[in-house]
Amino acid sequence: MALSTPKVLVTGACGQIGSELVPELRKTYAKENVIATDIKEPPPELKETGPFEWLDVTNRKSIGHIIKKYQVDIIYHLAAILSAKGEQNPSLAWQVNMIGTYNILELARELGIKQVFIPSSIAVFGPETPKVMTPQETILLPKTMYGITKVAGELLGEYYVRRFGLDVRGCRYPGIISYKTPPGGGTTDYAVAIFHEAIKNKKYTCFLREDTVLPMMYMPDCLKAAIQLMETEASRLKHHTNFNVAAMSFSPAELATEIKKYIPEFEIIYQPDERQAIAETWPRSIDDSAAREEWGWQPDYDLPRMVEDMVRNLMANLNK
Ligand code: NAD
Ligand code: AKB
């Protein structure tokens, strides 16, 4: 008997990651089997290439309705409020990140979902965590509401693995850099905005100090991590919801130097704002040996390769 293709639900699909993950998943599972959902207007590439539904993850009844309507097997739960936006509205961050995640896990358990992916973040770490090559198992005392919800989300997911045998997986992404969809309100957003401003105006005012080193990752590696982790044989995994993943680390000054190789007249000035305090609680680099050992994680992009690709694609978009 032929096995039917799994049905995949993506929450927060119109965000920075979802808008690129959905097309990838549609290549693997066929367009009609990947249901993109969000509370905001989808871009044409999402709406016209497969099903789209309006879905607020704080509304458990609506999620249950969509899961049943499409007979969903796998959920990529991306809906969230990120660090900087979360500090502007901690109550909203709690509602979306905590209640939303609890709703997804409860329905996944009740309705027999086969797999759930819930991304975590380097925001789980805090000032007490070792900053260089931050270990997999370490002190998790975040100071932002976003970080608190991410630690709780990891623990909740792990609870559903142990208590109910639900297959929940996730990795702690660093700041994600991409050129298709703007980031949604994080502390690492400068590393995307800098490219747009360098190309358009040859000038950028950075909201972090020049020497603030943070872990970052280019979008193709972000998508590869999610898909590779989800495809790994479950018996190989000792961890489930909290894998450290790393690709590169740099400061705004180092990124600007790399961009100047393509745009020599580019100028950057620094006016740190409230996001500097958040960045200072996060690690400078990450030890991702557990991900490498348990599911073969390896990034493809370092700083020079990422900058070359970002500049080339953004310039090509500008000339279209
Ligand atoms: P984003 O902010 O770009 O997108 C989040 C999406 O969630 C948005 O489209 C938004 O409309 C949607 N959303 C907000 N409230 C909602 C609600 N109540 N119901 C349904 N949808 C809602 O975020 P992203 O960068 O795509 O992040 C996706 C996931 O990856 C999040 O869990 C985030 O914490 C994690 N992550 C992202 C990064 C990064 O740098 N982008 C780094 C680490 C972890
Ligand atoms: C943010 O800055 O909030 C995100 C993240 C690292 O989770 N990019």
Side-chain angles (χ1 to χ4, degrees), residues 16 81-86 120-124 144 146 150 172-176 183-189 207 214-216 275 278 282:
Q16 188 191 9
I81 303 297
L82 274 63
S83 59
K85 205 169 156 193
S120 186
S121 161
I122 53 161
V124 295
T144 60
Y146 175 62
K150 286 291 166 190
R172 293 170 177 157
Y173 282 131
I176 304 300
T187 303
T188 58
D189 291 14
F207 59 75
L214 288 171
M216 301 277 183
R275 288 168 281 192
I278 300 177
W282 290 356

Side-chain angles (χ1 to χ4, degrees), residues 175-186:
I176 304 300
I177 298 165
S178 66
Y179 59 88
K180 290 194 179 150
T181 305

Side-chain angles (χ1 to χ4, degrees), residues 2 12 18 27 81 85 92 112 116 129 151 153 183 187 222 229 239 257 261 270 304 320:
K27 280 187 215 156
I81 303 297
K85 205 169 156 193
L92 178 69
V116 185
T129 310
V151 174
T187 303
C222 166
L229 172 56
H239 299 83
T257 301
K261 291 182 185 164
Y270 300 93
K320 266 183 194 162

Side-chain angles (χ1 to χ4, degrees), residues 12 14-18 38-40 55-58 77-82 96 119-121 146 150 173-176 182-184 188:
C14 301
Q16 188 191 9
I17 297 178
D38 206 301
I39 53 165
K40 76 178 182 207
L55 182 63
D56 181 343
V57 296
T58 63
H77 175 47
L78 307 181
I81 303 297
L82 274 63
V96 176
S120 186
S121 161
Y146 175 62
K150 286 291 166 190
Y173 282 131
I176 304 300
T188 58

Side-chain angles (χ1 to χ4, degrees), residues 6-284:
K7 300 273 192 304
V8 183
L9 172 73
V10 182
T11 71
C14 301
Q16 188 191 9
I17 297 178
S19 61
E20 298 206 40
L21 183 61
V22 168
E24 272 314 296
L25 294 171
R26 283 185 174 156
K27 280 187 215 156
T28 308
Y29 295 99
K31 293 171 180 169
E32 65 278 12
N33 294 318
V34 179
I35 304 101
T37 70
D38 206 301
I39 53 165
K40 76 178 182 207
E41 180 64 27
E45 309 86 74
L46 280 199
K47 205 153 98 177
E48 290 158 13
T49 59
F52 177 85
E53 298 271 358
W54 297 92
L55 182 63
D56 181 343
V57 296
T58 63
N59 184 332
R60 196 186 304 183
K61 212 166 144 196
S62 304
I63 310 171
H65 171 74
I66 301 286
I67 291 177
K68 287 181 199 152
K69 176 174 168 189
Y70 290 94
Q71 302 185 313
V72 169
D73 303 290
I74 299 172
I75 302 177
Y76 283 78
H77 175 47
L78 307 181
I81 303 297
L82 274 63
S83 59
K85 205 169 156 193
E87 288 314 286
Q88 284 159 9
N89 194 341
S91 160
L92 178 69
W94 179 265
Q95 283 298 318
V96 176
N97 300 2
M98 241 25 280
I99 308 298
T101 298
Y102 182 62
N103 285 342
I104 291 288
L105 288 170
E106 265 301 274
L107 285 164
R109 176 183 72 77
E110 270 172 40
L111 301 176
I113 296 295
K114 295 191 182 74
Q115 265 196 316
V116 185
F117 178 75
I118 308 177
S120 186
S121 161
I122 53 161
V124 295
F125 303 117
E128 293 87 356
T129 310
K131 283 214 178 301
V132 176
M133 287 303 274
T134 299
Q136 175 72 42
E137 265 75 43
T138 188
I139 302 162
L140 300 180
L141 292 171
K143 298 295 177 261
T144 60
M145 179 57 95
Y146 175 62
I148 291 167
T149 65
K150 286 291 166 190
V151 174
E154 285 183 0
L155 293 172
L156 199 59
E158 191 64 33
Y159 179 80
Y160 276 71
V161 174
R162 308 245 172 253
R163 178 81 166 76
F164 304 116
L166 186 67
D167 187 349
V168 190
R169 304 181 187 193
C171 50
R172 293 170 177 157
Y173 282 131
I176 304 300
I177 298 165
S178 66
Y179 59 88
K180 290 194 179 150
T181 305
T187 303
T188 58
D189 291 14
Y190 91 85
V192 175
I194 190 173
F195 285 94
H196 291 269
E197 293 305 312
I199 290 169
K200 264 193 291 178
N201 302 322
K202 318 282 181 240
K203 262 191 185 159
Y204 179 60
T205 303
C206 184
F207 59 75
L208 294 186
R209 243 190 13 236
E210 61 181 307
D211 58 350
T212 313
V213 175
L214 288 171
M216 301 277 183
M217 180 180 285
Y218 196 34
M219 184 60 89
D221 280 331
C222 166
L223 304 180
K224 176 170 127 168
I227 291 166
Q228 202 174 325
L229 172 56
M230 288 293 268
E231 283 178 351
T232 299
E233 182 57 49
S235 59
R236 284 183 62 192
L237 301 181
K238 295 189 198 84
H239 299 83
H240 303 96
T241 58
N242 63 353
F243 284 101
N244 280 1
V245 282
M248 62 187 96
S249 285
F250 54 77
S251 65
E254 286 162 337
L255 178 54
T257 301
E258 200 59 36
I259 292 174
K260 277 186 200 169
K261 291 182 185 164
Y262 301 88
I263 309 166
E265 62 277 43
F266 175 52
E267 279 173 36
I268 182 164
I269 57 166
Y270 300 93
Q271 278 177 15
D273 66 15
E274 67 286 351
R275 288 168 281 192
Q276 180 65 37
I278 300 177
E280 279 170 17
T281 68
W282 290 356
R284 295 164 69 90

